[in-house]
Amino acid sequence: MKIGIYGGTFNPIHRGHLTAAQAVKDALGLDKLLLMVDGIPPHKQMPEGSTDNEDRLAMAELATAELGKWAEASDIELRRQGKSYTSDTLRELAKQYPEDELWLIMGSDMFLSLHTWHEPEVIMSLAGIAASSRLEVSEDETFAAQKKLLEEVYGANIVTFRNPDVIEISSTEVREALSRGEGRQYLSDAVYGYIARQHLYGTDVDLKNLTVDELRPIAMSFLKPKRMPHVLGTEQEAIRLAKQYGADVRKAQVAALLHDCTKKLNMDEQLALCAHYGIELDELEQKALKLLHAKTGAAVARDLFGVDDEIYNAIYWHTTGKADMTVLEKVIYMADYIEPSRMFDGVEDLRDAVHTDLDMGLLMGLEDCIAEMVERGSPVHHHTVEAKEYLENREEL
């Protein structure tokens, strides 16, 4: 397996980084990319106004959504004390991936100064060097001379490549643009959403007065990359169902975009939010992680984004359902269940039922959910049972 290591402060990570990563993948046929977030870089000081390690790692993780499953963010250097020397990182990676081929990815400036780094001989013994040159022909001679030097002195394995989609912008320039209310075009949607939500780099976004289009990237910033297609699919299905059954389309979109905003949190984090917002939990909810994100997500949506009670309740009930749900609550429950990326036995029949009659589809969904839980030996929440019984009793009238 070929593994690329692309290090940087990523303060913030921007499209220039992403196009370079894609170019080296194409040039080398990489199987895996590690976005290595620098802790304390030995070659430069972190500028004033920089964000902390946690934020830079979070943004790198969000940026992988545009690269795909082959890319992931690494916190190896953030966990290490002291300065982040590349030679130490490569030693650790060589132990972690003893059978794989490591490639260190860098731009022009780094490549041309590589022989001055800490332990350059260790670096070039443990990894190949993939150096991206700018498109100017004038750099060719300089690159060729450096390549020859490193090969002769260190026995380096060097590949140089050009990025046909190069974006000539620095993180410094991106930060300055953001402070002026500009620069969004240089960032992936989720990274921009994270910056706006956390008010980084001098951004000042009013989270309680967002259009749906403004909310969407911010909603993505709460998610793991693999969950983003699900939430976007839920939004699109919620639009269809809201139009068909007369719910407020904008409210359906907002609820859909925020319904999983706390989904990635672990049990301790969920319980801490419940305590913070005064959310009372029954005996089952105190033990079932899957049930908590609907409650905490609704609370976060109201606290951060000022959603109204209809949206709050649609998020709150989207996991268990309840008796006598509103149309919006039904729309979000079922949009979450049947959005386009959902693939399970019977999903097409369920989609047909929902688009024929909302209550018929909801009843079928609740029955399927209960049957699946029973088959797994998992307890079924009483609100789910009550929701099913309520619909059954209505059918009998």
Side-chain angles (χ1 to χ4, degrees), residues 23-67:
V24 74
K25 179 183 190 293
D26 296 339
L28 291 179
L30 294 179
D31 301 294
K32 185 183 187 73
L33 174 73
L34 298 176
L35 292 171
M36 189 65 59
V37 184
D38 290 347
I40 304 174
H43 57 281
K44 64 179 179 180
Q45 295 293 319
M46 292 291 282
E48 186 177 348
S50 296
T51 187
D52 61 25
N53 291 348
E54 182 181 353
D55 287 329
R56 292 186 293 115
L57 179 63
M59 288 187 284
E61 290 172 341
L62 291 168
T64 63
E66 290 206 3
L67 293 172

Side-chain angles (χ1 to χ4, degrees), residues 178-235:
L178 288 167
S179 70
R180 300 190 302 267
E182 304 169 0
R184 178 176 174 175
Q185 69 272 27
Y186 298 116
L187 302 165
S188 68
D189 285 347
V191 171
Y192 172 76
Y194 185 91
I195 290 169
R197 172 163 64 90
Q198 301 286 50
H199 304 292
L200 304 180
Y201 309 121
T203 55
D204 185 21
V205 177
D206 183 358
L207 299 181
K208 287 185 167 63
N209 288 286
L210 300 172
T211 67
V212 171
D213 288 341
E214 290 168 338
L215 173 63
R216 192 174 295 109
I218 295 174
M220 293 303 102
S221 75
F222 285 98
L223 308 171
K224 293 181 179 179
K226 66 180 180 180
R227 181 153 292 271
M228 293 178 190
H230 163 70
V231 169
L232 293 173
T234 300
E235 181 197 6

Side-chain angles (χ1 to χ4, degrees), residues 246-274:
D248 186 297
V249 173
R250 181 189 177 279
K251 291 184 178 184
Q253 287 182 269
V254 172
L257 287 170
L258 295 175
H259 80 282
D260 276 352
C261 66
T262 61
K263 179 76 172 181
K264 73 177 183 180
L265 302 183
N266 62 34
M267 192 67 176
D268 288 342
E269 292 167 328
Q270 294 284 1
L271 291 175
L273 278 181
C274 289

Side-chain angles (χ1 to χ4, degrees), residues 43-91:
H43 57 281
K44 64 179 179 180
Q45 295 293 319
M46 292 291 282
E48 186 177 348
S50 296
T51 187
D52 61 25
N53 291 348
E54 182 181 353
D55 287 329
R56 292 186 293 115
L57 179 63
M59 288 187 284
E61 290 172 341
L62 291 168
T64 63
E66 290 206 3
L67 293 172
K69 294 180 180 179
W70 67 285
E72 64 183 62
S74 174
D75 65 350
I76 286 176
E77 295 193 352
L78 298 181
R79 288 186 278 105
R80 186 187 305 138
Q81 298 297 313
K83 291 187 175 181
S84 297
Y85 288 114
T86 299
S87 56
D88 292 333
T89 299
L90 290 175
R91 286 189 180 98

Side-chain angles (χ1 to χ4, degrees), residues 229-242 245 252-253 255-257 259-260 314 318 325 327-342 344 347 350-351 354-355 358 361-362:
H230 163 70
V231 169
L232 293 173
T234 300
E235 181 197 6
Q236 293 308 306
E237 183 61 33
I239 292 171
R240 287 190 286 270
L241 291 176
Y245 293 109
Q253 287 182 269
L257 287 170
H259 80 282
D260 276 352
H318 86 266
M325 296 167 73
V327 174
L328 182 61
E329 289 163 3
K330 295 173 185 178
V331 162
I332 298 305
Y333 184 95
M334 292 312 305
D336 177 42
Y337 210 142
I338 64 170
E339 57 87 10
S341 73
R342 294 287 200 194
F344 55 86
V347 68
L350 183 55
R351 287 176 179 138
V354 171
H355 284 282
L358 183 57
L362 176 60

